[in-house]
Amino acid sequence: MKYTISTPIPTSQILDIQLEFTCQKEEKIHLQLPAWRPGRYEIANYAQFIRKLEVSGPDGKVLAEKETKDTWSFFAAKNGNYKISYSFHAAQLDAGGSWLDPEQVYINFINFCFSISGRTNEKIIVKLELPQSYKIACALPLEDANTLLASNYQELVDSPVLAAQYLHHKIYQVKSTNFHVWVHGEIYFDWDTVLKEFSQFTEKQIEDMRDFPAKDYHFIIHLLPFPHYHGVEHQFSTVITLGPDRLFAKQEGLDRLMGISSHELYHFWNVCRIRPKSIQPYDFSKEAYLKEGLIAEGVTTYMGDFYLLKSGYYSTERYFEVLEKLMERSFESLGWQNQSIVDSSWDLWLDGYKAGIPDKKVSIYTHGALLVLAMDIMLMRNGKRMHQVMRKMWECYGKTGIGYELKDFEQAVLDFAENREEMKRFFEEYVHDTGNLFDLLQDLLPHIGLSVQKIAS
């Protein structure tokens, strides 16, 4: 199976795509375009950006019928090679979209590559028709200068690519893994400082999880001239879009870069491998409801910041400021009174990534991180920490690839708790229900020498 992707007029932001594969006589082919992508649990309807899909076979044009908003089918009357030709409008410059301009080709294959029923385990070749001067940043192996190889469909759509002539590339090594840092855009930071800090938080994460099963990992970073903040996790890479670029000459900009990068690296274990059963494996054709947003994003948000403290990037005082900001963002609404984090996770497909009506829900990121903070403080009473819980989750559900449910995470936390009944009540009142988390944190924080109070702004 082979994709050929060309950019005849970059200013048009149109990708021309051709998919070729062999069909058996009288084979019925179903082409399913993804309706959503990894790391974003909402319907995206990528089919709206597809233009003029045509199919040809050994005898010329073949009738293709559209069965649903994002499913096409055709009948292969003969053995032979069949081609699907279409265009895609690549005009979304964030960590989950695709973008084309005269200086770069940025592709998330999940946006426009078809899942073919019964054939998702076939190897896939991707030929990129690019200028000779372009470099390629991608976790997929290169067969030659512009040809990528994917072992199956899931690997393809979990491996974004960025190609450009002016693409900065640095490597640091931790244990046996090469960590590639690719940057497109203007550089205003000091490379030595950035690589040192990346290396240190990477070392601390691997130290606690005890292994990193990858030979190479890629940070693919867009530095933009306008305000932006977005990151998406993948099996062997992450895409990060940040701006404005001049901000990274200052501490504020470096804090944003380190914060999102530590968060996305932690996703290598949590979500990319320690994955809820409801998205194991991914089915991109329909919603995949999950209750585990607390673990997927709450744990990752908390642990990403924790490792910046543990690596020495954050001072204690700066880390307290990060916690204050989490509380401000989480408690700025009264959503916690009306919807539990479990129900808010389930409703991601409904309104999880927009403001929604006033005081309806909680954020699986900020509120989730504060729930994990509460758990971590409770675990400290027994001399344990959240990173030990997550190492157990990695060993039981990540390495094995069997997927987990919310009850499995709850059991893992209980196994490390001093007072199991107290921890059970915590999950009942604050995870499954709408307990007052601020009041709980006021009670818990003094156990680690801290206090929190509300101050009118």
Side-chain angles (χ1 to χ4, degrees):
M1 195 173 297
K2 180 181 179 180
Y3 278 96
T4 301
I5 301 171
S6 60
T7 61
I9 308 175
T11 53
S12 72
Q13 297 196 298
I14 295 294
L15 298 172
D16 283 348
I17 303 154
Q18 186 175 89
L19 170 60
E20 302 175 69
F21 55 93
T22 301
C23 293
Q24 302 299 314
K25 183 179 180 180
E26 299 183 351
E27 184 177 1
K28 182 70 176 289
I29 298 296
H30 293 273
L31 305 168
Q32 174 69 59
L33 198 71
W36 59 282
R37 62 166 177 78
R40 189 81 167 189
Y41 310 109
E42 68 176 359
I43 294 297
N45 288 325
Y46 296 119
Q48 66 186 300
F49 306 113
I50 296 291
R51 188 174 73 183
K52 196 179 182 182
L53 184 144
E54 296 180 329
V55 179
S56 60
D59 293 331
K61 189 172 182 179
V62 176
L63 176 65
E65 296 183 338
K66 197 170 186 183
E67 297 183 348
T68 69
K69 61 183 174 61
D70 48 23
T71 307
W72 289 258
S73 68
F74 68 89
F75 182 74
K78 289 185 176 181
N79 291 335
N81 192 52
Y82 286 75
K83 298 178 182 179
I84 296 94
S85 302
Y86 57 102
S87 298
F88 178 82
H89 188 220
Q92 182 179 332
L93 185 51
D94 61 21
S98 296
W99 177 269
L100 171 64
D101 66 36
E103 295 182 357
Q104 64 178 314
V105 178
Y106 164 52
I107 291 170
N108 268 281
F109 295 109
I110 191 74
N111 298 161
F112 58 78
C113 287
F114 289 103
S115 170
I116 301 176
S117 180
R119 304 184 65 163
T120 56
N121 289 324
E122 293 184 20
K123 292 182 179 180
I124 301 170
I125 299 170
V126 179
K127 179 69 175 180
L128 302 172
E129 295 187 351
L130 300 170
Q132 290 185 348
S133 60
Y134 274 30
K135 303 173 186 176
I136 294 178
C138 186
L140 292 175
L142 280 164
E143 184 178 57
D144 58 39
N146 293 332
T147 303
L148 302 167
L149 301 176
S151 58
N152 54 49
Y153 179 76
Q154 290 274 334
E155 182 179 52
L156 175 69
V157 298
D158 210 12
S159 304
V161 59
L162 171 61
Q165 179 178 355
Y166 301 108
L167 193 57
H168 305 274
H169 180 214
K170 303 289 184 179
I171 300 174
Y172 66 95
Q173 189 174 53
V174 177
K175 296 188 182 295
S176 59
T177 303
N178 290 316
F179 290 85
H180 302 258
V181 184
W182 302 87
V183 177
H184 185 259
E186 295 293 327
I187 301 292
Y188 290 92
F189 56 74
D190 177 69
W191 266 114
D192 290 340
T193 298
V194 165
L195 293 176
K196 174 189 170 186
E197 300 298 346
F198 269 54
S199 180
Q200 289 179 344
F201 73 66
T202 301
E203 286 176 3
K204 292 302 180 182
Q205 291 193 21
I206 294 175
E207 182 180 287
D208 280 350
M209 297 304 273
R210 293 187 176 165
D211 63 335
F212 191 90
K215 181 180 178 182
D216 293 275
Y217 182 86
H218 300 259
F219 293 91
I220 302 172
I221 302 171
H222 301 263
L223 292 185
L224 306 173
F226 49 84
H228 199 80
Y229 186 90
H230 191 209
V232 176
E233 68 273 12
H234 298 281
Q235 283 277 309
F236 297 100
S237 64
T238 177
V239 174
I240 294 169
T241 50
L242 289 173
D245 47 16
R246 291 182 179 273
L247 189 64
F248 299 97
K250 304 176 182 179
Q251 191 63 45
E252 180 186 356
L254 286 178
D255 285 354
R256 287 163 62 85
L257 175 60
M258 296 303 159
I260 196 169
S261 298
S262 181
H263 177 106
E264 296 303 330
L265 181 62
Y266 198 76
H267 271 313
F268 175 88
W269 295 277
N270 192 30
V271 175
C272 289
R273 289 164 178 81
I274 308 170
R275 191 181 296 180
K277 282 185 178 178
S278 55
I279 53 173
Q280 179 78 344
Y282 291 122
D283 179 354
F284 299 113
S285 67
K286 59 185 179 182
E287 297 89 340
Y289 295 99
L290 68 159
K291 299 179 179 180
E292 295 83 12
L294 162 65
I295 303 98
E297 295 298 351
V299 167
T300 304
T301 299
Y302 178 78
M303 297 306 292
D305 293 335
F306 169 78
Y307 282 108
L308 292 181
L309 173 66
K310 196 170 184 179
S311 70
Y313 178 77
Y314 282 158
S315 65
T316 303
E317 292 76 13
R318 178 68 184 106
Y319 183 65
F320 292 165
E321 292 173 2
V322 171
L323 292 182
E324 286 177 1
K325 182 61 70 174
L326 275 175
M327 291 184 188
E328 289 172 4
R329 292 172 61 193
S330 184
F331 297 123
E332 66 184 359
S333 83
L334 297 177
W336 61 269
Q337 293 182 345
N338 299 308
Q339 192 172 64
S340 71
I341 196 166
V342 170
D343 290 336
S344 293
S345 178
W346 196 262
D347 272 2
L348 286 171
W349 297 95
L350 182 65
D351 64 354
Y353 299 93
K354 57 186 178 182
I357 65 172
D359 301 330
K360 173 187 178 289
K361 62 186 177 182
V362 296
S363 165
I364 62 172
Y365 295 83
T366 56
H367 197 77
L370 293 179
L371 285 166
V372 178
L373 169 62
M375 282 184 260
D376 205 15
I377 296 172
M378 294 166 72
L379 290 171
M380 288 182 202
R381 297 173 181 170
N382 199 32
K384 305 299 182 182
R385 297 298 302 270
M386 182 53 64
H387 73 263
Q388 293 169 292
V389 174
M390 292 308 295
R391 184 192 302 147
K392 182 172 183 178
M393 292 291 292
W394 166 239
E395 292 170 349
C396 294
Y397 304 102
K399 287 183 178 181
T400 60
I402 62 174
Y404 72 92
E405 297 178 19
L406 179 58
K407 64 181 181 180
D408 299 315
F409 174 74
E410 182 174 347
Q411 185 60 54
V413 175
L414 289 174
D415 288 343
F416 287 94
E418 179 184 47
N419 187 329
R420 293 172 63 90
E421 291 304 315
E422 178 190 43
M423 192 65 81
K424 282 183 180 179
R425 288 194 300 273
F426 170 83
F427 273 89
E428 290 169 1
E429 295 178 22
Y430 300 97
V431 176
H432 295 280
D433 209 341
T434 56
N436 188 330
L437 181 58
F438 183 84
D439 286 354
L440 176 65
L441 288 171
Q442 280 191 311
D443 292 338
L444 288 175
L445 285 168
H447 291 284
I448 57 172
L450 301 177
S451 63
V452 61
Q453 58 182 319
K454 296 179 182 178
I455 301 174
S457 59

